[in-house]
Amino acid sequence: MVPGFSFSRRRFSDLSEQEVLALAISNEEDDARIYRQYAERLREEYPSSAKVFDEMAAEEDNHRKWLIDEHERRFGTVIPLVRREHVAGYFQRQPVWMIENLGLERMRAQAREMERQAEQFYRKAADRSSDAATRKLLGDLAAAEAGHNDVAGQLERKYLSGEAREQEDEAAHRQFVLTWVQPGLAGLMDGSVSTLAPIFATAFATKDPQTTLLVGLAAAVGAGISMGFTEAASDDGELSGRGSPVKRGVASGLMTTLGGLGHALPYLISDFWTATIIAIIVVFVELWAIVWIQNKYMATPFFRATFQVVLGGALVFAAGVLIGGG
């Protein structure tokens, strides 16, 4: 059998009642550990939210103790090793580092999804139990998981007053802007604007879509690599609070490349004027997208952003056309 594929796993319906209890115990252990990791990750910047996850972890610990007591009553002290990955078609938890990197709101959303999945599991497990006490316990746990969103809400009201919640949400938004939006926007602007001149100069100088495409690809990829490394190397984020240099470098590099590719890829079309008209339309869309992002995330007044971006892009575009046409 090949590890990791469903045919090497047991179906939930094939598990014994002892194995179902063992699976429930390992689930609670894993979920408590995940909540504690969330809390530890948030403790410095979002202490109130960290307390919410600490108490949710403690609640999972209580569930685990009840399940262990029930297992000892029915089957003894030796608990089989049964985990989620051993059961075919069973829900899986996303790696913690993936959720951590997506910020506070993503952690909250993941916690709600974890509770929903746990409720479904306990309802199915209760239906399969032949022991009255075990069935009652599993049903009670299903009800507890169903009510965890209310518990989470109570904990948030306890630790996250209106002011504390507002401060944490504001800090999370600010971190998102500094780590992802700002470098990504800088990259998109650089890729969209700085590559206009070489791409359209080549286009009007050669009237050859294939040559223009090659120059455009080289300009976009080269600019993306340059911007990504520059952003990552310029600031380690420790003093500025702008976050991981790797994340900022990735955001800046990818958006720079995307901005350049937008008006290079139309030259895959063999007809020069068709490709050029489409490329000009793409440039128009790119510039207005930059204006929208600046206005929404950077609080730049709409007309000022329009003047800066559209006028700047038009000047660079005109320079490319004049140089190529001359």
Side-chain angles (χ1 to χ4, degrees):
M1 295 211 220
V2 181
F5 286 83
S6 60
F7 56 74
S8 67
R9 303 175 184 177
R10 300 275 300 280
R11 292 181 300 176
F12 182 74
S13 59
D14 293 335
L15 298 180
S16 67
E17 288 194 43
Q18 182 183 15
E19 289 170 331
V20 169
L21 277 177
L23 177 60
I25 291 167
S26 69
N27 287 349
E28 295 292 351
E29 289 173 345
D30 289 346
D31 288 355
R33 188 177 296 113
I34 289 171
Y35 288 145
R36 287 197 170 89
Q37 285 184 267
Y38 287 176
E40 195 60 30
R41 168 66 177 80
L42 297 172
R43 202 171 309 283
E44 183 176 345
E45 294 180 275
Y46 310 108
S48 297
S49 288
K51 291 178 182 177
V52 172
F53 283 116
D54 279 334
E55 291 214 16
M56 292 178 73
E59 185 77 10
E60 301 302 293
D61 285 340
N62 287 332
H63 294 176
R64 177 178 57 83
K65 291 174 184 176
W66 299 341
L67 288 163
I68 290 175
D69 289 342
E70 183 64 13
H71 185 280
E72 289 181 350
R73 181 185 73 82
R74 293 191 61 191
F75 304 109
T77 58
V78 179
I79 302 173
L81 178 60
V82 184
R83 304 182 68 85
R84 292 185 178 95
E85 57 267 26
H86 300 157
V87 182
Y90 197 69
F91 65 84
Q92 301 293 319
R93 296 286 186 241
Q94 290 187 341
V96 172
W97 59 85
M98 290 179 61
I99 307 302
E100 287 179 340
N101 288 336
L102 295 179
L104 176 59
E105 275 308 317
R106 186 67 181 85
M107 291 185 197
R108 290 172 178 165
Q110 179 66 12
R112 290 191 291 270
E113 178 63 14
M114 287 167 63
E115 302 301 340
R116 186 191 66 79
Q117 292 173 342
E119 177 196 355
Q120 289 182 331
F121 164 74
Y122 282 122
R123 293 199 185 282
K124 290 181 180 178
D127 289 342
R128 295 194 54 228
S129 178
S130 59
D131 182 88
T134 301
R135 190 181 183 92
K136 180 180 183 304
L137 172 62
L138 295 173
D140 289 345
L141 288 172
E145 298 293 352
H148 266 192
N149 280 334
D150 293 334
V151 172
Q154 293 169 9
L155 291 173
E156 288 189 8
R157 287 190 290 274
K158 176 180 177 182
Y159 293 115
L160 286 169
S161 63
E163 183 178 352
R165 177 66 177 258
E166 186 177 336
Q167 289 175 348
E168 289 199 352
D169 287 347
E170 184 179 342
H173 176 73
R174 180 177 179 274
Q175 192 62 57
F176 172 73
V177 170
L178 289 175
T179 303
W180 295 105
V181 177
Q182 191 179 67
L185 179 61
L188 183 60
M189 291 177 66
D190 185 82
S192 298
V193 176
S194 69
T195 59
L196 286 176
I199 290 175
F200 285 102
T202 303
F204 283 92
T206 65
K207 300 291 195 300
D208 180 7
Q210 184 176 10
T211 302
T212 304
L213 175 65
L214 292 176
V215 171
L217 291 176
V221 174
I225 294 172
S226 175
M227 280 291 288
F229 275 100
T230 299
E231 178 63 41
S234 64
D235 177 11
D236 63 8
E238 292 295 327
L239 294 178
S240 66
R242 296 179 63 217
S244 166
V246 175
K247 295 178 187 177
R248 298 194 331 268
V250 168
S252 181
L254 286 179
M255 294 307 290
T256 302
T257 303
L258 181 64
L261 288 177
H263 42 269
L265 291 179
Y267 286 97
L268 286 167
I269 300 170
S270 58
D271 182 75
F272 171 75
W273 286 109
T274 301
T276 300
I277 290 171
I278 293 175
I280 292 172
I281 293 172
V282 171
V283 170
F284 180 81
V285 172
E286 287 174 342
L287 295 180
W288 282 107
I290 293 170
V291 170
W292 180 82
I293 294 171
Q294 279 194 327
N295 178 252
K296 179 175 177 62
Y297 290 102
M298 309 302 292
T300 305
F302 181 79
F303 289 107
R304 193 174 92 188
T306 301
F307 180 79
Q308 291 173 341
V309 175
V310 176
L311 178 61
L315 290 174
V316 176
F317 171 77
V321 172
L322 289 172
I323 293 170

